[in-house]
Amino acid sequence: MGNDARTQDAAASVDFEEVQATQQFKDLRKRHRSFVFPMAIGFLLWYFAYVILAAYAVDFMSTKVWGNINVGIIMGLLQFVTTFAITGWYVSYSNRRLDPIAAEIRHGIEGHDYDKSGNSALGGGAK
Amino acid sequence: MITIPAAVDVAALKDTTLLNMGIFALFVAVTMVIVLRASRNNKTAADYYAAGRSFTGSQNGTAIAGDYLSAASFLGITGAIAVNGYDGFMYSIGFLVAWLVALLLVAELLRNTGKFTMADVLSFRLRQRPVRIAAAISTLAVCFFYLLAQMAGAGSLISLLLGISDWGGQALVIIVVGALMIMYVLIGGMKGTTWVQIIKAILLIAGAAVMTLWVLAIYGFNLSSLLGGAVDAANNPAVLNPGLQYGKTETSKLDFMSLGLALVLGTAALPHVLMRFYTVPTAKEARKSVVWSIWLIGLFYIFTLVLGYGAAALVGADTIKGAPGGVNSAAPLLAFHLGGPLLLGFISAVAFATILAVVAGLTITAAASFAHDIYANVIAKGRADADTEVKVARRTVVVIGILAILGGILANGQNVAFLVALAFAVAASANLPTIIYSLFWRRFTTQGATWSMYGGLASAVILIALSPVVSGTATSMIKGANFAVFPLSNPGIVSIPLAFLLGWLGTVLDKRQEDRGKQAEMEVRSLTGVGAEKAVEH
């Protein structure tokens, strides 16, 4: 079937350090990290701000806004909204900015562009 | 148009026993047929552990939701909101926001670098034996804590539904649940287990949706009047405000922080959730699964807010606390109040199915970890063939099943959401730092990994043992003793930062260098999916 998570054949002879050093791969890594790190820090800060307010600013969180609905419930529901929003944002970012370049590098590797012997194998154009 | 009984008569529940058992038996029969059909072509280790990587993103996402929305979510959170008001809602939010850690930092990278278990990823570029053993031990520990919670939930539920309140009767029921679970996993492997999760997730979310709409309909689809109803029933406006449970003292506020930290960082380190990412063919499908599960899980947790306050308003906190099964009985009691015996029977059967399915998922994870990491890679040093490995996994299933039954009997009666939070704290302490470091920190070494994993695991478990959960209060597991020197009931706020610190310290003090080539290989594989994407490339 060949659908194991780590089929060895395509990647066995690849010089991964060479791939890692290419500008294309550095770009991919930069695009990935420059999205996920700030986003992760952002949602964690927003979540902890919420937790700290719930623990130490009870009066503020208990302020009634509309009927019996108070600030705490609104902020809690906003956590749901931001979670859904970040999810959607990440998917669209990955589809546009990460997947195409990742696929290009993958095809390069599978086409033996980075084999350890140093010279590209003949099968390079097969993909 | 809806007839609502004036109050819930707990004694009347006993008359519905046969109906409840009938609905549950039907669920077991249907899922067993599906499991048998699904298991027909379980041949290789990849079939048994990873369902032949044949599931689509949406199927796997539903199964993840099934795995994640355990009895803790349904029974525990609804009960916590019904009894403790706003503080219970915190669980819902933490459990959901935590998925962003999995989505952004872990799921796809992990799918691209591993094969069957969490240890595959953690030991990828470090020294195999020590890291694999540490990862397998922490996997087993987390699964064990999580199993305890589920089995305790089974005990509460049964005592309510069958009116069995004596210890022996509840123990017998826990044994039956354990035995059924062992059968599912032995016969169905990951494929069978996944199908059980999918069916259960659909039933659970549909059941919760019906109850939510019903409660909202009673209050004219006005959240404010529902909340007002809860205030009136409790005769205490503070149920809408944070702090009812955790706001009493400075220590309890700190405990709330600790819980919040463990909830948000635990999910992405739960071995049974991580293992689900291997049942899909590609990283893109892994991403789709997480997105799908975030939507399902988020929707469900919004329901818990309505169900919890609904139970508070319509059933009443005192009735819930007084019922057999205590806090965990809020959702079934609300179902009985709304739809009488039939809805109670349906909801209870769903809750049972939930416990059964989650326990099955945990068991297969623990068995895979033992057979694949400890047996095949450490004891047999990679010379075991796949058949022997699967055989070992199946035997492990039986052993873990028996351990879970014994533990469940001991933990019977605790709030299940709370017990699950402990499992989250152990996972976040023992696993998360090493997962993050090995994916993102080039210099990370074997010594850092073992220090962090053993340090995180030991500190979390020891702090739990020395906490009020185990001894010192009226609700502790061991009554009459007091060795609770640690004041918080959740260890996360200490053990998680400590594990991150140990991972860093172990690395900077390590004189050995790790293989540069392996680090490059892991980074390239994790971001590009090379080698892992064969199934769709060809």
Side-chain angles (χ1 to χ4, degrees):
Chain A
M1 299 273 288
N3 57 356
D4 249 4
R6 277 163 59 190
T7 23
Q8 293 298 323
D9 52 327
S13 57
V14 176
D15 185 346
F16 282 102
E17 286 181 68
E18 191 191 331
V19 183
Q20 196 185 30
T22 60
Q23 194 52 46
Q24 202 181 20
F25 182 78
K26 283 180 185 162
D27 272 355
L28 173 65
R29 187 174 58 195
K30 194 172 160 224
R31 282 185 191 186
H32 179 255
R33 293 188 177 183
S34 65
F35 184 87
V36 300
F37 286 165
M39 201 56 84
I41 291 166
F43 84 78
L44 284 174
L45 283 178
W46 158 230
Y47 170 78
F48 286 118
Y50 162 78
V51 173
I52 290 167
L53 283 174
Y56 296 99
V58 175
D59 289 341
F60 168 69
M61 295 294 261
S62 311
T63 316
K64 293 260 191 292
V65 177
W66 181 71
N68 288 304
I69 296 169
N70 58 26
V71 175
I73 289 183
I74 291 174
M75 279 186 77
L77 292 173
L78 277 179
Q79 291 281 342
F80 283 81
V81 173
T82 49
T83 302
F84 293 143
I86 292 173
T87 304
W89 193 357
Y90 172 70
V91 170
S92 99
Y93 183 85
S94 300
N95 288 341
R96 279 181 299 112
R97 305 274 294 160
L98 301 179
D99 288 354
I101 188 169
E104 229 172 85
I105 298 173
R106 192 165 64 237
H107 290 153
I109 295 171
E110 283 165 355
H112 305 281
D113 289 356
Y114 303 99
D115 280 8
K116 278 183 180 133
S117 51
N119 47 354
S120 282
L122 294 168
K127 295 270 153 73
Chain B
M1 86 191 169
I2 304 158
T3 51
I4 301 159
V8 172
D9 181 5
V10 173
L13 290 178
K14 283 191 186 171
D15 304 336
T16 66
T17 302
L18 269 178
L19 183 68
N20 295 340
M21 287 174 82
I23 296 177
F24 181 57
L26 187 71
F27 173 83
V28 172
V30 170
T31 44
M32 204 50 99
V33 170
I34 291 167
V35 165
L36 281 170
R37 289 179 64 95
S39 63
R40 273 195 206 141
N41 39 15
N42 266 357
K43 289 187 196 74
T44 64
D47 287 336
Y48 192 73
Y49 298 140
R53 311 195 197 285
S54 55
F55 284 97
T56 65
S58 53
Q59 286 172 331
N60 191 46
T62 314
I64 290 177
D67 237 329
Y68 197 68
L69 299 175
S70 63
S73 301
F74 185 50
L75 303 178
I77 296 180
T78 310
I81 297 176
V83 172
N84 294 320
Y86 190 87
D87 284 359
F89 190 36
M90 170 75 197
Y91 282 105
S92 298
I93 292 165
F95 280 145
L96 176 69
V97 173
W99 275 96
L100 289 178
V101 182
L103 175 72
L104 296 177
L105 301 174
V106 178
E108 295 165 49
L109 306 180
L110 185 110
R111 170 61 189 82
N112 279 338
T113 41
K115 199 170 176 187
F116 299 133
T117 65
M118 183 183 78
D120 285 337
V121 178
L122 301 188
S123 64
F124 190 99
R125 66 186 174 90
L126 305 174
R127 273 175 288 140
Q128 287 279 324
R129 276 175 71 94
V131 177
R132 234 178 228 290
I133 295 172
I137 288 173
S138 84
T139 298
L140 292 172
V142 174
C143 288
F144 179 73
F145 269 92
Y146 219 111
L147 274 172
L148 268 189
Q150 304 303 322
M151 297 306 260
S156 309
L157 195 62
I158 284 299
S159 54
L160 177 74
L161 296 179
L162 306 186
I164 302 172
S165 44
D166 64 303
W167 188 84
Q170 293 185 8
L172 185 71
V173 171
I174 294 180
I175 293 170
V176 171
V177 170
L180 274 173
M181 168 275 284
I182 293 173
M183 271 169 63
Y184 277 124
V185 179
L186 280 186
I187 300 170
M190 190 53 136
K191 204 179 272 174
T193 309
T194 306
W195 278 114
V196 174
Q197 305 282 27
I198 292 174
I199 297 165
K200 170 234 134 161
I202 294 170
L203 287 176
L204 179 63
I205 294 169
V210 168
M211 284 174 68
T212 301
L213 289 175
W214 203 323
V215 169
L216 285 175
I218 290 175
Y219 288 95
F221 291 95
N222 184 337
L223 184 62
S224 175
S225 356
L226 166 64
L227 298 176
V231 170
D232 293 342
N235 204 8
N236 178 7
V239 292
L240 303 183
N241 306 338
L244 201 61
Q245 183 187 14
Y246 287 101
K248 289 172 193 140
T249 61
E250 287 306 311
T251 313
S252 68
K253 284 181 187 171
L254 212 57
D255 213 358
F256 185 73
M257 305 269 110
S258 192
L259 173 71
L261 191 67
L263 293 182
V264 79
L265 297 180
T267 299
L270 289 174
H272 70 292
V273 168
L274 298 182
M275 196 167 160
R276 287 235 139 265
F277 298 133
Y278 297 124
T279 65
V280 292
T282 63
K284 194 157 177 155
E285 291 296 318
R287 183 192 305 152
K288 263 190 216 156
S289 347
V290 183
V291 171
W292 192 256
S293 52
I294 285 178
W295 281 103
L296 290 176
I297 290 166
L299 196 66
F300 180 85
Y301 284 142
I302 292 175
F303 295 159
T304 61
L305 181 71
V306 175
L307 295 179
Y309 279 124
L314 298 169
V315 183
D318 292 331
T319 315
I320 293 167
K321 279 190 270 189
V327 179
N328 299 328
S329 65
L333 284 176
L334 179 65
F336 185 67
H337 179 88
L338 293 173
L342 204 63
L343 188 60
L344 172 73
F346 176 74
I347 290 300
S348 310
V350 168
F352 262 125
T354 293
I355 291 172
L356 208 56
V358 173
V359 167
L362 286 163
T363 306
I364 199 165
T365 306
S369 180
F370 182 82
H372 180 68
D373 298 324
I374 297 195
Y375 175 77
N377 280 299
V378 175
I379 297 176
K381 301 205 171 70
R383 287 189 299 265
D385 58 88
D387 284 351
T388 330
E389 197 182 310
V390 172
K391 214 176 278 168
V392 171
R394 286 177 196 242
R395 282 180 198 154
T396 318
V397 167
V398 178
V399 175
I400 293 166
I402 293 168
L403 283 177
I405 290 169
L406 293 177
I409 293 171
L410 280 177
N412 196 353
Q414 298 268 338
N415 179 314
V416 286
F418 171 73
L419 284 175
V420 161
L422 293 184
F424 273 64
V426 175
S429 315
N431 301 338
L432 191 70
T434 305
I435 294 173
I436 298 288
Y437 283 144
S438 67
L439 287 172
F440 294 105
W441 187 23
R442 190 181 289 212
R443 266 207 63 194
F444 191 53
T445 69
T446 303
Q447 180 172 292
T450 51
W451 283 21
S452 172
M453 278 191 278
Y454 287 124
L457 179 64
S459 61
V461 173
I462 291 169
L463 289 177
I464 291 171
L466 297 178
S467 78
V469 180
V470 173
S471 73
T473 68
T475 53
S476 302
M477 281 180 191
I478 304 170
K479 296 190 170 60
N482 189 359
F483 46 89
V485 291
F486 183 68
L488 305 181
S489 51
N490 193 302
I493 204 164
V494 177
S495 59
I496 298 168
L498 181 72
F500 272 102
L501 181 75
L502 284 172
W504 171 79
L505 200 67
T507 300
V508 294
L509 294 179
D510 199 347
K511 290 184 190 74
R512 295 173 72 154
Q513 286 274 323
E514 300 299 338
D515 186 346
R516 267 289 293 123
K518 273 285 180 195
Q519 192 277 331
E521 182 177 348
M522 183 171 179
E523 195 172 283
V524 172
R525 277 181 187 276
S526 70
L527 282 171
T528 62
V530 65
E533 305 276 335
K534 298 294 285 181
V536 287
E537 293 291 323
H538 293 258

